Amino acid sequence: MSPMAQSAPASGAPEPGALQPLLPSDPSQLAGYRLLGRLGAGGMGVVYLGRTANGELAAVKVTHAEQADQADFRARFRREVEAARRVVSPWAVPVLGADPDAPEPWMATAFVPGPSLGEAVRGHGPLPERSVSILGGAVARALAAVHTAGLVHRDVKPGNILLAVDGPRLIDFGIARATGETGLTSTDMVVGTPGFLAPEQAEARADEIGPAADVFALGCLLAFAATGRPPFGSGSMDALLYRTVHDEPDLAGVPDGLLDLVRQCLAKRPAERPTAEEVAARLTEDAPGAAADWLPAPVVTTIAARSAAMLALPAIDATAPGIDPAAAQKPSRRGFLLLGAAAAVLAAGGGAYALIDARRDDDTQGDGKAPAPKRNTWAIGLLADLSGPAKEIGQAQERGARLAVEQFNALHKGKPFTLELKVSDDRGDRGGALAAARRLTTDPSVVAVLGPTSDDTGQAALPAFEEAGLPLLTVSAGYNMLALRAAPSPPNTTVLRAIPNHIMAGTYLAWTATLLPQIRRPGVLQERTDDQYSWQYTGGVRFGFKYAGITPHFRVVPGRATDYRKIIGEMIDAGIDAYVHCGVRSTAVRAARALKELGFTGPKFTGQHVFGSAFLEEAGAAAEGWFVCAPVVDPVARAADAKQKPADHKAVQDFLTAHRKRYGTDPAFYTGESFDVVNMVTSWLFTSAAKGPLSRKGLWQALRAQSYTGAMGGYQFDDHGELKGVGTFVYGVENGAYKAIGAAPSSPANKKA
C-alpha cells in the first residue's frame, strides 16, 4: 500500500464541535474577528469561534506558523480557499474571508452550530431512513456543485458534514483538487480518510481520481449514517485500504429503500457509479427548509443546546464602531436572556467556567492587583475505565495511583506541597473519552495524568492533552501511534508509554515461542474484532518469526467468525505445530475450546488483550497450557525472586505490605506499574519543588529524560516517549491460574537468519 496522508496541512484541525475555552496562549482578536472560544484543534492548527463587530459568527481556521513555513503549505492553503470560494450551493458552507499570506494563514467560514454527522451518530445512534435520504440528497447536490466548479472534494466523511435544522452542510476543501490536476501531491500518496475513500484513492491511482471518487465516499457516508458503522469496518490504515479495494462492503442494516443506490455508489469501478446529480435526483425528497423534523429529536436537542449557548456568549464589545458605550452598559431584555442562557450552560457543564476562574486565580487574587498565593496543593490525574469493559484494569490502576499519592503525603507531610488524586472515569467509551480527559486537562492543579486504560479511549482523548501540554503516562495502552507519529505530524511530546507498543509486544511473543526448539511451523491467526490491535500484533509476530528464520502459516478471519472448529481444523490440516492467537479474549476462548476439542497438543500463545481473569473463567479447562504474554509483572512472584538486588527486593516488598494494609489483599495486575509511574512523577515534583515554582511546562521532557527504578522494575524512555527494553512478561496457565515464567527474550533463541 502507498504512504498515507489523512489530510493536507490546511485541514489539520479536527471537525468543529462544542465550544471550549480559549487557552492563555490564544489570541483574542484576528482580522476583525473577536475570538470567543475553540471549536477544535490538531497538529496543524486551531478552529476558533469568531464574531465580527456586527455580531456575525464564523468558524475561523488558523494554521500554526511552523506549518506555514513548510514547503508547499501556502500553496495548499491558498488552493483550499480558492476551491471553497468556487463552490456555490446552499448545502456547502461559504467562505466569509481569508488571508493565505498572513504569518499564520487563516480562513473564516459561516458558523453552523450543529454537530457533525460523525458526532451525531456516535452520540445518538444511526439516523432513520428519511433522515438518511434527505442527508444524501443535500450532500449529493453539494457535490454536484463541487463537480460543476471543476473540483473533486476527495474527503467526504462524517466529520465534514455538519447538521443544521434546515439541512446538512458540506465543509473542508483542504484536499479538494481540480479535475485532472496532479500537482502538489505525490502520485504515490493516498489522500483522504481511510474507510471513506474510493478504491482508486486507496491505490493512489491519481489519473483515475475524479468526481466518481466523491460518489463512492457518499455511498460510505450513507451506509455509516444508516448503520452507525463504516461499510469497510475500522482498524489500521492498511487493513482499511485493502478492504476498500478487495472486499465487498458490509451493508447489513441499510434500509431496503436505499440499499440499491448505496451499492451502486460503492461499485469498485468508477464508471459503474452514478453521478452526484443522478444520486440527488433519486433521493427526491427536498431538504426541510426551516423545519427541524428531518432529524431525530436527540440530534435536534443537541443543535438547540449549541444554538442557545451562542446566546450566552459575551456581548459585542462596547468600543466597536457604531455602538454607544453608555447604551451598551444599560440593562436590557437581551441581557436577562443572556444571563438565563449562561446559567443554563453553567448548569449543564461548568468546565468552561471552572477553567476561566482557575486561570484568574493563578494570575491574581481576583482583583487584578496582586499575585495569587503560591499553590500548595497539586494533583495527579487518573483517566481510566472504572465502570466499563476494562474496569478490572482501570480499578487496579486507581488503587496503585491512590497508594502512591497517599504514600507521598505521608512521607512528605509539611513539605512544600500536598498531592491529590483527581479521577475521571471514561467508562471505556470512545465517544465520551475526550470530555473525560478535559475534566483533567482544564484543571490547572493537575500536573500529569496516568492513563488511559485502552487504546480506543487514548486516541479519542489525546487532543485534550496535546492542547494543554499535559503529560499522559500509560501502563496499558499499546497502540503505536499514541507515541510514534508519522510525518508530517509534529513529534510526540505528550505520551510516555511505560509498556511496549503492540508491534514490539508481538515481536517478543514470537521470540518467546522460539524458546521451544520443536516449533517449526507455527500457525498465526489474526482476527479482526479489534483490527487495530490484531493487525499491529500480527505485524510484530511476523517480524519476530522472520528474524528467527521461521515461516508461519497465517490465517486472517473477520471478527464476526464463530466456527472456530472449522478455522482451527484447517490450520491443523496445514501442518501447524504451535498456535498463536492475535486477537481479543472472546475469540481466544473460542480458539482454546476448538483446539482442545480437536486434540491439538502443540504450545499455544497469545498476548495482552487476552490476559486477565476472564480468559481463565470463560475458557475453563481449555485455557490449560496456554502461554500469555503481557506487559505487567506479578508483584508476588517478584517479591519472592531472591535474585533481585536488595534495594529492588525491599521496594517490591514495601509495596506489597502497603497494599495489603490499605486494601486487605494482594495487588491485582497493573496496580504495581501504576504505583511506579505515579511515584516517578511525584519524585521529580518533590526534587523540583526545592528549585523553584512547579509547572507542568517541560514536565514531559524532564520525565522522558530520567531513569527511574520502582517496585516493578526500571523505566527509561527513548526520544519518542517509548519504553526502552523488553517490558513483556510470560505467563503459563496452570491449574486455572497464571504462573509467572519470566521476561520475554530480547532476541530469538534459535535465530537462523
Side-chain angles (χ1 to χ4, degrees), residues 32-54:
Y33 290 94
R34 180 184 177 189
L35 304 184
L36 305 173
R38 284 175 162 230
L39 295 169
M44 298 301 178
V46 182
V47 180
Y48 297 103
L49 177 65
R51 185 174 57 199
T52 63
N54 62 9

Side-chain angles (χ1 to χ4, degrees), residues 378-380 397-414 417-423 655 657-664 674-675 678-679 682:
W378 292 93
I380 301 294
Q397 292 171 344
E398 181 182 14
R399 285 190 170 191
R402 195 169 296 283
L403 196 61
V405 168
E406 291 174 354
Q407 177 180 282
F408 177 90
N409 289 333
L411 289 174
H412 303 294
K413 189 173 183 180
F417 61 91
T418 301
L419 269 180
E420 291 181 276
L421 181 68
K422 295 194 174 182
V423 178
F655 164 66
T657 301
H659 191 280
R660 288 164 178 165
K661 181 179 179 180
R662 175 69 170 82
Y663 295 109
S674 302
F675 176 79
V678 173
N679 275 332
T682 60

Side-chain angles (χ1 to χ4, degrees), residues 354-659:
L355 175 61
I356 295 168
D357 190 54
R359 187 186 303 162
R360 183 196 67 192
D361 287 347
D362 271 353
D363 296 333
T364 70
Q365 292 186 9
D367 56 9
K369 297 179 181 179
K374 183 179 179 181
R375 181 183 296 280
N376 57 15
T377 300
W378 292 93
I380 301 294
L382 173 71
L383 177 67
D385 177 1
L386 301 177
S387 56
K391 64 182 180 182
E392 181 181 3
I393 298 174
Q395 290 170 2
Q397 292 171 344
E398 181 182 14
R399 285 190 170 191
R402 195 169 296 283
L403 196 61
V405 168
E406 291 174 354
Q407 177 180 282
F408 177 90
N409 289 333
L411 289 174
H412 303 294
K413 189 173 183 180
K415 296 302 187 207
F417 61 91
T418 301
L419 269 180
E420 291 181 276
L421 181 68
K422 295 194 174 182
V423 178
S424 186
D425 181 7
D426 63 29
R427 303 183 181 184
D429 175 21
R430 182 185 178 95
L434 185 60
R438 285 196 167 121
R439 288 196 287 270
L440 299 172
T441 61
T442 57
D443 184 335
S445 71
V446 175
V447 290
V449 173
L450 171 68
T453 305
S454 69
D455 297 334
D456 272 356
T457 54
Q459 293 174 72
L462 188 59
F465 293 93
E466 291 178 326
E467 293 165 20
L470 190 66
L472 179 65
L473 301 93
T474 183
V475 298
S476 55
Y479 176 49
N480 69 332
M481 293 304 287
L482 288 175
L484 297 173
R485 312 288 173 78
S489 297
N492 169 48
T493 56
T494 304
V495 177
L496 288 176
R497 194 203 314 275
I499 63 168
N501 63 51
H502 295 317
I503 297 173
M504 292 309 304
T507 300
Y508 299 139
L509 181 148
W511 290 347
T512 298
T514 67
L515 295 172
L516 302 175
Q518 72 270 26
I519 293 179
R520 293 290 182 270
R521 179 71 165 165
V524 179
L525 180 74
Q526 175 187 345
E527 64 84 12
R528 291 175 165 173
T529 302
D530 184 344
D531 202 20
Q532 196 158 254
Y533 164 78
S534 61
W535 174 80
Q536 290 192 25
Y537 214 89
T538 303
V541 168
R542 187 186 299 271
F543 173 82
F545 280 133
K546 181 178 180 181
Y547 192 72
I550 294 174
T551 303
H553 171 73
F554 286 97
R555 180 72 191 272
V556 182
V557 298
R560 62 180 180 273
T562 56
D563 191 356
Y564 269 70
R565 186 182 176 92
K566 178 181 179 182
I567 294 166
I568 299 295
E570 291 172 351
M571 296 179 74
I572 293 173
D573 291 342
I576 67 170
D577 54 19
Y579 176 77
V580 179
H581 189 84
C582 298
V584 300
R585 184 191 72 245
S586 59
T587 57
V589 170
R590 293 189 187 120
R593 291 171 178 167
L595 287 160
K596 183 174 175 61
E597 291 171 6
L598 294 168
F600 182 76
T601 58
K604 303 164 285 285
F605 299 86
T606 190
Q608 178 185 352
H609 278 20
V610 176
F611 184 71
S613 60
F615 174 65
L616 304 180
E617 295 165 3
E618 294 171 12
E624 287 294 309
W626 276 68
F627 296 99
V628 186
C629 290
V632 288
V633 181
D634 181 345
V636 176
R638 180 169 169 78
D641 186 356
K643 295 181 290 184
Q644 293 181 74
K645 296 177 184 178
D648 294 348
H649 190 276
K650 183 179 185 306
V652 68
Q653 192 61 58
D654 288 348
F655 164 66
L656 278 176
T657 301
H659 191 280

